[in-house]
Amino acid sequence: MTRKPSKTKAAPKPVEVVGQTLERALDPLASALKRAALKRAEKQAHAFEAPVATAAAKADKSAMPVSPLAVPFPRMRPIAGVQMATGRAGFYKHERDDLLVMVFPEGASAAGVFTRHGVGSAPVDWCKRHLEATKGEGARALVVNAGCANAFTGKPGADAVRRVAAGVAKRFDCRQRDVMVASTGVIGVLLDDARITNRLADIEGRLTDDGWAAAARAIMTTDTFPKGAYAEATIDGTTVRIGGICKGSGMIAPDMATMLAFVVTDAAISPGALQALVSLYTRNTFNAVTVDGDRSTNDTLLLFATGQSGAPRISRAGDKRLADFRDKLEGVLMDLAHQLVRDGEGATKFIKITVTGAETAASARRIAKSIADSPLVKTAFAGEDANWGRIVMAVGKADEPIDRDSLSVKFGDLWAAQDGLIAPSYDEAKMSAYMKRKELEVTVDVGVGRASSTVWTCDLTKRYVEINGDYRS
C-alpha cells in the first residue's frame, strides 16, 4: 500500500521571497549556462560512448559474475515512516533502475558522515552544508542516482544538485535544505538533473514501504550483488527496527565514511544523539574496511530516524535505554561494511587482519591498514601463498613503533613467525591448506604495548585489473 506524504507548507521567509524573485529574474541566464555545460559534458561523454556502454553492461548483474563471497539479501521488514521507489533515469545505456527516492515524515532526524577526500563531490558538499544548517532536524527526502558521480564538476555540478533538491522539494512539499542528495558513478561528468526531475511524478506514484531490495539494486555500479542489513532492538520496552543498504565494490577505503550507505530506523532519536552514534560506530565499521586503499570523492553514510515506532524520544547517545539499540545499530553498520569487502572488485578472499601489542589503538590501526592495503600482501592472498615476509614488510613500512625481535605473525591458529623468527612449529603443508579457505584471519603482534585494532580487506586479483581497466575506456 502506498500513501502520499502530508502536504504542510511553511510560509516563506522574507529572505526566501527575495531569493525566489532573484532566481526567477536570473532563470534565463541560468538555463543558458546549464545548456552550455550539458552540451560540453555530452560532447566529452560521446568520446567514450561505446566503451562506457560496455563497462556499464559489465556492471549489470546479469553480465558480471557474482562475487564468490556474496551473501543473500536479507529479509527486511518495512520501517514505519519511510517510503521509497526506484526508477530509470537513463544514466546507463542498458535497461536498469538507476534512481532511488526515499521520503520521510515531518519531524524525522538525520545525521551523516562523509568522505574527507580533498575533491569532495557536489552532492557531498550539499549534504554537509544543509545538515549543518538544519542541525539534522526535519529531513524529508533522499534522492540517489547511480551512473554519474557529479564530482569534479564545479559550479555547474553544484547547480545541478540544487535543481534536483528543488524539484524534489516541490514534489514533496518541503524545503530544499530538507532534501539529501547522493550520487555515484564516473567522476568528472556533469549530472543531467532533468533526467531525475522528469521522473519524480512517476516515482511519487509508486512509493512503497517495502522496497528495500529494489532500492539496493538501483544504487549499484560495479557491485555484483545488492547489499542490505536489518535488525530489531528494544527501547524502553518498545521494539524498533533498523534497516540499511549500501553500495560499493572498488575505490573502497572510506575515511569519513565509490561507497554510499543509507540506514533508517523508526526510533525517535534527536539529531544530536543520532550524529554522535553514527560518528562513533563509523570508526570500527566503514572506516575499518578497505578493498584497494583508494578513497572515493562521494563516500556518504546517512542515518535517518523517523520517530514512528512509538518508543520514547531519546536525546542523549549515552542514554541507558539505548543500550540494545546501540549494539544493533553497530551490527547493521558492520554487516554492511563487510559486504563491501565481500564484493571487492575481483575478490576471492575475505580477510580479517588484527594487530595486537601496539603502543596505541591509532598505531595498531595504521599498521593493520598498511598490511591490508599492500598490493604484495593482497596478491599473495590471491595466490593462496602464506608469504608472511610480505606481511612483515608491510608492518615495517607503516613507520609505527614495533619490536622487531618480538614480532609474531599467525594465520588462523597457525604460527608463521614468533619472536622475530620463523616459528618452530611452521608447517608449509598445513599453511597451504589453510590459505585455500575463502575466509582468512591474520594476527600480528608487534610487541611494544597492549593496544589492538582490526581491519577487514580482500585479495587483489587479475579480475580487479580487468574491471578497472575497462571501467571507462
Side-chain angles (χ1 to χ4, degrees), residues 100-447:
L100 165 66
V101 174
M102 289 187 178
V103 181
F104 309 101
E106 292 184 10
S109 301
V113 284
F114 304 90
T115 183
R116 291 177 183 159
H117 198 286
V119 188
S121 68
V124 165
D125 291 345
W126 175 274
C127 290
K128 290 171 65 176
R129 183 168 68 252
H130 291 292
L131 276 179
E132 183 177 355
T134 64
K135 305 302 181 185
E137 295 278 5
R140 294 296 306 282
L142 166 69
V143 57
V144 188
N145 75 273
C148 176
N150 196 21
F152 202 60
T153 50
K155 187 176 183 301
D159 290 341
V161 171
R162 177 184 56 78
R163 287 189 293 269
V164 168
V168 173
K170 182 178 180 181
R171 174 63 55 180
F172 298 109
D173 292 308
C174 63
R175 300 171 299 182
Q176 291 184 32
R177 68 182 191 176
D178 296 332
V179 178
M180 297 291 101
V181 181
S183 298
T184 180
V186 177
I187 295 171
V189 178
L190 178 65
L191 181 73
D192 184 352
D193 51 279
R195 292 188 176 191
I196 295 175
T197 54
N198 288 343
R199 297 290 295 161
L200 293 179
D202 177 58
I203 289 284
E204 183 181 21
R206 293 188 294 106
L207 288 171
T208 177
D209 58 4
D210 192 17
W212 286 106
R217 287 191 295 269
I219 64 175
M220 291 167 55
T221 51
T222 58
D223 305 60
T224 68
F225 65 92
K227 303 167 182 65
Y230 176 84
E232 294 184 357
T234 301
I235 297 179
D236 202 26
T238 300
T239 298
V240 301
R241 297 173 178 175
I242 309 167
I245 57 173
C246 72
K247 65 80 50 187
S249 185
M251 203 184 291
I252 300 295
D255 188 8
M256 5 161 240
T258 288
M259 185 221 102
L260 303 179
F262 311 107
V263 181
V264 184
T265 178
D266 54 9
I269 302 176
S270 71
L274 209 63
Q275 185 63 58
L277 290 173
V278 74
S279 297
L280 173 65
Y281 293 130
T282 293
R283 176 171 178 79
N284 291 323
T285 58
F286 287 108
N287 278 354
V289 299
T290 178
V291 167
D292 47 23
D294 283 337
R295 278 186 285 159
S296 169
T297 56
N298 292 53
D299 286 341
T300 298
L301 166 59
L302 290 169
L303 174 60
F304 301 92
T306 69
Q308 301 294 299
S309 65
R313 182 175 174 84
I314 307 295
S315 299
R316 295 185 304 105
D319 192 309
K320 63 181 182 180
R321 292 173 294 177
L322 278 184
D324 189 41
F325 179 87
R326 288 192 295 264
D327 288 343
K328 298 299 174 53
L329 175 62
E330 184 178 22
V332 166
L333 298 183
M334 185 70 81
D335 190 351
L336 292 174
H338 285 182
Q339 289 184 55
L340 296 178
V341 175
R342 289 180 175 279
D343 202 17
E345 290 170 338
T348 64
K349 306 286 185 183
F350 179 74
I351 307 156
K352 178 182 179 181
I353 296 176
T354 300
V355 171
T356 63
E359 278 194 351
T360 65
S363 178
R365 177 181 292 269
R366 283 190 283 270
I367 296 170
K369 281 283 189 75
S370 180
I371 299 169
D373 285 333
S374 167
L376 286 176
V377 171
K378 293 164 75 70
T379 51
F381 280 117
E384 299 182 340
D385 178 11
N387 192 335
W388 55 270
R390 291 184 178 181
I391 292 176
V392 171
M393 173 278 299
V395 169
K397 77 184 179 86
D399 293 327
E400 292 293 324
I402 63 169
D403 181 350
R404 182 191 63 186
D405 296 329
S406 297
L407 190 66
S408 299
V409 181
K410 186 166 64 171
F411 290 73
D413 294 327
L414 304 174
W415 288 103
Q418 288 178 293
D419 298 325
L421 297 169
I422 187 168
S425 61
Y426 183 84
D427 186 314
E428 184 70 32
K430 289 182 179 179
M431 196 69 77
S432 295
Y434 178 78
M435 294 300 291
K436 295 185 183 303
R437 299 183 183 185
K438 288 185 178 180
E439 299 190 13
L440 305 169
E441 292 189 24
V442 176
T443 305
V444 179
D445 191 294
V446 296

